[in-house]
Amino acid sequence: MSERRKPYPFDRIEPKWQAVWESERTFHTPNPGEAGFDAAKPKYYVLDMFPYPSGAGLHVGHPEGYTATDIVARYRRMCGYHVLHPMGWDAFGLPAEQYAIKTGQHPAITTARNVAHFKAQLKRIGFAYDWEREVNTTDPGYFKWTQWIFLQLYHSWFNPETQRAEMIATYRGSDPDSVRLAYVAEAPVNWCPELGTVLANEEVIDGKSEVGGHPVERRPMRQWMLRITAFAQRLIDELDGLDWPDGIKLLQKNWIGRSEGAEVHFGIAHPEPVPEERIAANAMSGILHRVRAEEKITVFTTRPDTLFGATYMVLAPEHRLVEAITTEEQWPEVRAYRERTARKSDLERTELAKEKTGVFTGAFAINPVNRERIPIWIADYVLLGYGTGAIMAVPAHDERDFEFAKKFDLPIRQVVQAPQGQESIGFCGDGIAINSPLLDGLQTFEAKAKMSAWLEENGFGKKTINFKLRDWLFSRQRYWGEPFPVVWESGKHRTLDESELPLTPPELADFKPTGTGEPPLAKAKDWLRYSDAATRETNTMPQWAGSCWYYLRYCDPGNAARFVGEESERYWLGADSESKGGVDLYVGGTEHAVLHLLYARFWHKVLFDLRFVSKPEPFQRLVNQGIILGEDGQKMSKSRGNVVNPDDVIAEYGADAFRCYEMFMGPLEQMKPWSMTGVEGVSRFLARVWRLVMSENQAGEWVLSGAVQDAQPDRAQLKVLHATIKKVSADIETLSFNTAISQMMIFVNAFTNAAVKPLSAMRTLLLLLNPFAPHLTEELWETLRAHFPGAKESIAHESWPSFDESYLVEDEIEVPVQVNGKLRDKVTVNKDASVAEIEAVALSAQKIIDHLAGKNVKKVVVVPGKLVNIVAT
RNA sequence: GCCGAUGUGGCGAAAUGGCAGACGCAACGGACUUAAAAUCCGUUUUCACGAAAGUGGAGUGCCGGUUCGAGUCCGGCCAUCGGCACCA
């Protein structure tokens, strides 16, 4: 196939302007104090979720959000803001390491190569990033401060009285290690044998690893944890002031999972003496002895009002009291059940959820409200990790308990009267308490309150709030991540001094997981040894660590003395007359709704409490772009062969067409399929813009069109011009880029056949189009400047145009006239016509008279400037 | 199962409660051309009647409601997509 003739020379002008922007530092953003900084200007911080630079390169999904933010950034800059619009690399992570294992090539090498590739691809699209602010999470100058933030977490705690993070020095208790925000715990973790690492709850999907889809099992291991649960309430409450999609706020709230209820202590009825051999064999023998005396079992319930309906109790199989309470007779069965559940992966546990299983322990608990003996069972439908790991079962009013009770033939006692018309057994909603001496006749909400109060007065429990959110499992058994700035000495951990940072990972030839759960860093014997007595921590941080604070580093990326300079932080992330503070616009995919966005908010709050940052929330306005599907309407994937490569599109249609098509496809937030003919349509539009200003001479060269003249636009042209300024400006503010482009198409259609193309109108169009198609508009701007003096050297330095409402109104307006809601005619009236005048004109129109024949006019609704509706019967 | 989003021409879509389908794609017709491409102009929700200009009916997933007026608001369903999933 021969080379298709280009509709306009984008292949020449795009590289040209990209080179100019780079050499002129056109999009460099000065920091406070720097040359070119004007303190009077308001700030605008517009941020993209930085990419993981994978080997596959950029796909068309990346530039969707990036183009949206680029348009906003260029627009705001022209509106007179200092705009912070940076880009960087989330470059630690599993794929680079797995590639290293396969090829033996160091992850640093492949990462550098991938970053270079990504960067070249992004530059080809013409984004107005300030590349002098580029950050890379694998850069020692960067992860030094990731490690430094870890030190702040380690050296602080959450003071429940102030509800804030404070330095550990303010803690008055005896065991600071038990309250640090970064702590070590022996905890059941998500262990993935295939990846050779543990994973956060958030990284496990349906019992499989998010990366690679390998099976994950639970096993107890010693791990670093971050105490995010301390911030659970604030992470919910402080969502309120944020301009985020409601759906995302809800997703976070549900993930944090707050529920109000009560803790209730149940006594244990006459426990049998625990056999001596079980005590001897058990590490927790202390507990076994205590049980006989005063140990209680505490349950959490959201329905304390149903306490009289509790007919049995269930412990999680792993509950610490199981060994202590189980009778000799039931012990073999209980032990077998525990072993079976322990072997089950999370996946199996969910798959088998259809059928409830469980075993009776032989023991009984005493219900504090009525001194009733109820049997204690264990069952894997009760989870150790939530609440207290034990429940009181109220089968009459809880679906799961009901199912379990039916299967094992346990008693069911109704204690809530359902509203009329509903079956009370199995009813789980709010009703009236019955069969409950203390509570009879009360509404559910009253009964809950009364029971909670009663429990507290009598020492049987208290009102409690529970969260689904777990502490953040923060260590990984990986090579390609930030090492912990921690050493171990005689079984105790302590941190490195700030002066010892950054702690870089050791050189290793073999990155393979050990398979035992011991991290690969343990293989670096020299590195491992810190002193004669102390060895280094060998875990590394998860990939989320670097992305938790990168938006802070952009504000002051070269600062060697501080993670971000105070003045820079205050300017870019503080509030001013126009900004509520924080990142003013953050665009990225929904896949980060609960992971990155929750972690980053958590870190930010800690830094805020410790007075390192100005505002408690990092991202003021969040927008999620929708995913782009292949031309077949399916998710893009290599195996389907429907992947669109940005490089190919740019080679054929140019970067401006690529950018504009991505924005013209449909609403930013929506999922939408790619269409190559759609790209062609947008490319045609840009070519029409080009030909408004340029024409081809005899020699086949593009020269300024003779139709462009310094002439006054006519009335109709002024109307469409000002309508376009108005619509494009408003649409950029609301990120409705598709309709902004439609309006510019209308403009171009209106001018295409004009004999004279007025210079002022052409210039205004170029300004409006510049954020969308920066190369084309720069080139045309330059051509116009060469013939007509009086413009700035780069269109990027020009100001955004403003519109004049008076051009938008016509003297005569056309008003539709409806009869009984159906359009029957249109009449033309003066724009200032009164309601009575409009009504008179409408009623005298011939078609309307015809339609009203034989009817009585009941009412005439006149909406001035809009329409007339005549109601007639 | 629970929570959320979405449902409009052949397709992507547009419409502060006020003319449904702007803008673009595709298709068809025309102009230019020896011809094609490119470009420019026009038609294009659907049904009925009409040679035509046109006239009339239906129409925004389904059923109902509020309103002079509903794609838009309210109630109830259905479908698709996404998230959570024994959270007591």
Side-chain angles (χ1 to χ4, degrees):
Chain A
M1 191 177 104
S2 67
E3 176 83 347
R4 206 171 54 91
R5 197 177 172 293
K6 305 268 189 288
Y8 72 97
F10 59 80
D11 52 331
R12 179 177 62 77
I13 65 178
E14 289 179 355
K16 169 185 160 184
W17 287 102
Q18 285 158 17
V20 169
W21 296 331
E22 182 152 349
S23 65
E24 299 293 316
R25 300 173 80 211
T26 308
F27 301 113
H28 175 62
T29 304
N31 256 11
E34 210 179 305
F37 181 81
D38 176 358
K41 281 190 179 184
K43 67 96 178 180
Y44 197 83
Y45 188 171
V46 49
L47 179 69
D48 294 302
M49 291 185 182
F50 66 166
Y52 173 76
S54 74
L58 215 60
H59 58 77
V60 293
H62 287 119
E64 188 191 11
Y66 300 166
T67 305
T69 55
D70 201 61
I71 290 166
V72 172
R74 287 172 179 270
Y75 163 74
R76 288 276 172 175
R77 189 173 282 115
M78 290 170 86
C79 290
Y81 291 76
H82 279 307
V83 173
L84 181 54
H85 182 44
M87 182 44 78
W89 316 104
D90 187 17
F92 275 129
L94 266 177
E97 181 165 340
Q98 282 171 320
Y99 188 76
I101 292 167
K102 217 160 51 181
T103 62
Q105 202 160 35
H106 196 279
I109 295 168
T110 51
T111 299
R113 194 167 61 212
N114 292 348
V115 164
H117 183 214
F118 261 71
K119 192 169 172 180
Q121 285 186 301
L122 290 180
K123 287 202 165 180
R124 214 169 296 147
I125 305 174
F127 293 129
Y129 291 124
D130 179 1
W131 285 108
E132 291 168 48
R133 292 175 184 266
E134 180 179 357
V135 303
N136 183 329
T137 55
T138 65
D139 195 339
Y142 182 90
F143 69 69
K144 167 181 179 175
W145 299 107
T146 311
Q147 291 168 332
W148 177 85
I149 294 171
F150 176 83
L151 296 186
Q152 309 313 307
L153 290 159
Y154 181 93
H155 292 298
S156 56
W157 71 301
F158 188 81
N159 184 340
E161 279 171 27
T162 59
Q163 287 289 301
R164 297 170 61 104
E166 294 174 5
M167 294 312 287
I168 198 80
T170 68
Y171 171 68
R172 296 283 162 245
S174 57
D175 183 10
D177 284 351
S178 68
V179 297
R180 294 180 189 279
L181 294 183
Y183 64 99
V184 175
E186 178 88 19
V189 298
N190 305 301
W191 166 254
C192 177
E194 192 64 34
L195 297 175
T197 185
V198 298
L199 299 168
N201 290 335
E202 289 84 347
E203 293 170 305
V204 182
I205 315 269
D206 291 335
K208 291 183 179 160
S209 63
E210 188 187 18
V211 178
H214 306 297
V216 172
E217 55 193 50
R218 295 194 75 79
R219 84 147 77 153
M221 282 175 74
R222 195 214 72 196
Q223 301 293 335
W224 282 98
M225 309 287 287
L226 298 187
R227 207 176 298 279
I228 189 171
T229 51
F231 290 80
Q233 190 61 53
R234 272 173 61 188
L235 285 167
I236 292 174
D237 293 345
E238 290 165 26
L239 281 171
D240 275 353
L242 301 181
D243 306 318
W244 287 22
D246 289 337
I248 301 296
K249 287 189 184 182
L250 204 65
L251 231 49
Q252 287 219 351
K253 278 184 194 164
N254 291 344
W255 187 266
I256 297 166
R258 179 186 203 271
S259 45
E260 285 181 30
E263 270 180 11
V264 187
H265 311 308
F266 283 68
I268 299 166
H270 312 299
E272 290 177 13
V274 178
E276 288 304 324
E277 67 272 24
R278 235 196 279 169
I279 292 174
N282 198 290
M284 301 192 299
S285 55
I287 291 174
L288 303 195
H289 285 292
R290 265 207 318 281
V291 165
R292 274 178 281 185
E294 80 284 357
E295 191 78 25
K296 303 238 191 265
I297 300 178
T298 301
V299 304
F300 172 73
T301 177
T302 52
R303 294 295 299 268
D305 61 302
T306 62
L307 202 39
F308 285 93
T311 52
Y312 63 102
M313 174 184 272
V314 186
L315 307 186
E318 311 88 339
H319 195 281
R320 54 195 271 277
L321 292 178
V322 172
E323 294 197 13
I325 60 170
T326 304
T327 59
E328 188 64 356
E329 193 190 345
Q330 292 300 108
W331 179 245
E333 216 186 321
V334 166
R335 195 173 57 183
Y337 183 79
R338 293 180 92 186
E339 279 165 12
R340 265 203 314 280
T341 29
R343 269 202 313 276
K344 278 188 204 170
S345 67
D346 269 12
L347 181 59
E348 290 169 306
R349 231 165 130 153
T350 359
E351 268 178 358
L352 297 170
K354 292 153 201 143
E355 183 83 356
K356 295 262 180 300
T357 59
V359 177
F360 179 43
T361 61
F364 290 85
I366 308 287
N367 186 338
V369 292
N370 55 12
R371 315 305 300 164
E372 206 169 84
R373 271 166 52 105
I374 59 173
I376 305 174
W377 287 61
I378 63 169
D380 65 3
Y381 82 91
V382 173
L383 309 173
L384 186 66
Y386 182 76
T388 61
I391 63 155
M392 63 175 208
V394 184
H397 307 292
D398 181 284
E399 237 177 279
R400 296 149 301 178
D401 298 343
F402 185 59
E403 203 186 312
F404 192 83
K406 274 195 303 189
K407 175 156 180 193
F408 294 103
D409 208 17
L410 291 155
I412 297 168
R413 185 190 305 146
Q414 187 194 330
V415 289
V416 178
Q417 180 74 52
Q420 277 226 316
Q422 288 190 58
E423 177 56 49
S424 282
I425 294 283
F427 173 74
C428 304
D430 289 359
I432 307 287
I434 53 170
N435 300 330
S436 305
L438 280 172
L439 311 171
D440 280 346
L442 295 180
Q443 295 274 343
T444 295
F445 78 96
E446 299 166 313
K448 281 181 181 176
K450 186 161 184 191
M451 182 52 84
S452 299
W454 184 89
L455 288 169
E456 187 142 14
E457 273 164 38
N458 294 280
F460 291 124
K462 62 169 195 285
K463 214 175 146 178
T464 315
I465 291 160
N466 240 297
F467 296 95
K468 281 200 273 186
L469 185 69
R470 297 297 125 76
D471 274 341
W472 178 7
L473 175 66
F474 194 65
S475 39
R476 298 291 183 276
Q477 292 69 52
R478 313 278 358 158
Y479 172 74
W480 194 229
E482 301 88 346
F484 281 78
V486 168
V487 295
W488 290 81
E489 188 165 352
S490 9
K492 297 272 292 172
H493 47 76
R494 69 181 153 84
T495 57
L496 298 185
D497 189 78
E498 200 180 313
S499 63
E500 295 173 271
L501 303 182
L503 171 61
T504 53
E507 287 298 322
L508 268 190
D510 170 18
F511 315 101
K512 272 195 212 57
T514 59
T516 61
E518 185 167 41
L521 293 191
K523 297 178 190 173
K525 297 295 176 207
D526 292 344
W527 181 87
L528 197 60
R529 186 180 169 281
Y530 177 74
S531 69
D532 287 344
T535 58
R536 293 188 192 278
E537 168 67 54
T538 54
N539 282 293
T540 52
M541 300 185 198
Q543 196 182 347
W544 309 111
S547 59
C548 263
W549 73 283
Y550 73 110
Y551 59 93
L552 293 169
R553 190 63 180 168
Y554 282 140
C555 297
D556 195 9
N559 198 322
R562 212 165 179 281
F563 75 111
V564 54
E566 285 177 271
E567 199 184 354
S568 303
E569 192 281 327
R570 262 202 309 277
Y571 182 72
W572 291 115
L573 292 163
D576 64 27
S577 59
E578 311 234 355
S579 169
K580 291 183 191 167
V583 171
D584 296 285
L585 175 64
Y586 193 21
V587 176
T590 342
E591 66 272 21
H592 293 117
V594 285
L595 303 167
H596 160 63
L597 288 171
L598 196 62
Y599 295 151
R601 291 180 63 220
F602 161 49
W603 277 33
H604 199 89
K605 286 184 191 311
V606 174
L607 292 171
F608 172 74
D609 288 354
L610 301 178
R611 309 200 194 287
F612 288 114
V613 296
S614 314
K615 304 291 279 183
E617 284 286 338
F619 313 121
Q620 182 56 38
R621 181 179 176 201
L622 174 75
V623 173
N624 294 118
Q625 87 260 24
I627 61 170
I628 296 180
L629 305 171
E631 298 226 39
D632 53 2
Q634 304 278 334
K635 218 169 169 166
M636 280 195 198
S637 75
K638 253 189 221 160
S639 59
R640 284 202 189 88
N642 60 355
V643 176
V644 178
N645 182 342
D647 293 341
D648 299 343
V649 180
I650 290 168
E652 182 144 8
Y653 299 100
D656 285 334
F658 177 73
R659 294 168 59 111
C660 289
Y661 175 66
E662 291 239 359
M663 295 299 99
F664 187 64
M665 291 172 82
L668 182 63
E669 287 100 324
Q670 202 162 96
M671 181 192 295
K672 42 208 177 282
W674 187 268
S675 156
M676 246 357 153
T677 53
V679 184
E680 209 164 316
V682 171
S683 156
R684 274 202 281 269
F685 157 67
L686 293 178
R688 282 158 72 96
V689 172
W690 177 262
R691 291 194 311 268
L692 279 184
V693 177
M694 306 295 276
S695 59
E696 246 175 324
N697 66 13
Q698 296 285 317
E701 296 157 336
W702 288 108
V703 295
L704 182 69
S705 162
V708 176
Q709 291 168 26
D710 197 351
Q712 185 60 20
D714 65 32
R715 180 83 203 179
Q717 290 175 332
L718 281 172
K719 185 180 178 188
V720 70
L721 173 67
H722 285 263
T724 304
I725 299 172
K726 183 178 181 177
K727 179 128 185 79
V728 172
S729 308
D731 283 351
I732 292 177
E733 299 274 356
T734 57
L735 311 186
S736 309
F737 306 113
N738 54 332
T739 49
I741 293 172
S742 294
Q743 181 61 41
M744 289 188 278
M745 286 173 169
I746 292 170
F747 178 102
V748 171
N749 291 345
F751 279 81
T752 292
N753 286 314
V756 172
K757 320 282 200 262
L759 174 67
S760 61
M762 293 303 107
R763 281 203 165 135
T764 303
L765 171 67
L766 295 181
L767 290 169
L768 297 176
L769 183 58
N770 174 257
F772 298 80
H775 310 87
L776 169 76
T777 49
E778 283 274 21
E779 181 70 16
L780 294 178
W781 191 262
E782 185 185 56
T783 304
L784 288 178
R785 201 168 62 90
H787 293 80
F788 303 95
K792 292 192 177 144
E793 208 156 301
S794 170
I795 192 172
H797 295 134
E798 294 285 343
S799 297
W800 192 254
S802 53
F803 65 94
D804 184 339
E805 193 78 46
S806 66
Y807 290 117
L808 301 181
V809 290
E810 301 269 13
D811 293 339
E812 302 263 276
I813 51 173
E814 199 179 51
V815 177
V817 182
Q818 299 179 334
V819 176
N820 291 332
K822 285 199 163 77
L823 179 69
R824 294 306 180 187
D825 199 6
K826 292 174 184 181
V827 296
T828 304
V829 297
N830 188 280
K831 71 168 165 28
D832 301 317
S834 70
V835 167
E837 284 166 337
I838 298 171
E839 181 175 334
V841 173
L843 286 170
S844 61
Q846 189 55 49
K847 281 189 198 166
I848 299 303
I849 292 168
D850 295 346
H851 272 101
L852 292 174
K855 290 178 175 158
N856 292 320
V857 174
K858 282 266 183 333
K859 185 176 176 184
V860 180
V861 179
V862 178
V863 185
K866 284 287 182 193
L867 97 172
V868 177
N869 189 14
I870 301 162
V871 186
T873 53

